[in-house]
Amino acid sequence: MKTQGYAKAQLYGRDEKVYGGLNAFFLLMDKPEVYKLPSEANATLPSRNNLPGYVGGVATAVVGLIAGLLAFRSGRMNANNNTTTTPR
């Protein structure tokens, strides 16, 4: 394509520069940004930018575990109080 006068022609996705490889490639006649595609400079995997989501999930799990333990302990304490008999 470049020999035919298309100086900006490129194969997009043929290497692992964008998202670690796309398993396909596309012939673009201009820069990827023109087609609203990420370039190698601004392409990052969403899972690598999700640290707040992971922290929030772990915090929710810890709060749930603590709440479960407190509920279980409270239930056992109430069961022990209800089964004790008063002497006659």
Side-chain angles (χ1 to χ4, degrees):
M1 296 296 292
K2 289 185 179 185
T3 58
Q4 294 177 358
Y6 297 101
K8 293 183 181 180
Q10 62 176 311
L11 289 176
Y12 179 78
R14 66 179 161 87
D15 51 18
E16 295 187 6
K17 292 180 182 176
V18 178
Y19 295 130
L22 300 176
N23 297 327
F25 61 90
F26 305 92
L27 176 63
L28 301 181
M29 301 308 282
D30 208 341
K31 295 185 293 186
E33 292 86 2
V34 172
Y35 303 101
K36 299 187 190 241
L37 295 170
S39 66
E40 65 181 275
N42 62 7
T44 55
L45 290 172
S47 61
R48 294 183 183 162
N49 295 329
N50 199 14
L51 183 61
Y54 295 142
V55 171
V58 169
T60 302
V62 168
V63 168
L65 178 66
I66 291 171
L69 290 173
L70 290 174
F72 180 70
R73 182 174 181 211
S74 174
R76 285 187 59 201
M77 297 288 265
N78 289 338
N80 287 340
N81 289 339
N82 292 338
T83 58
T84 57
T85 57
T86 56
R88 295 181 191 203

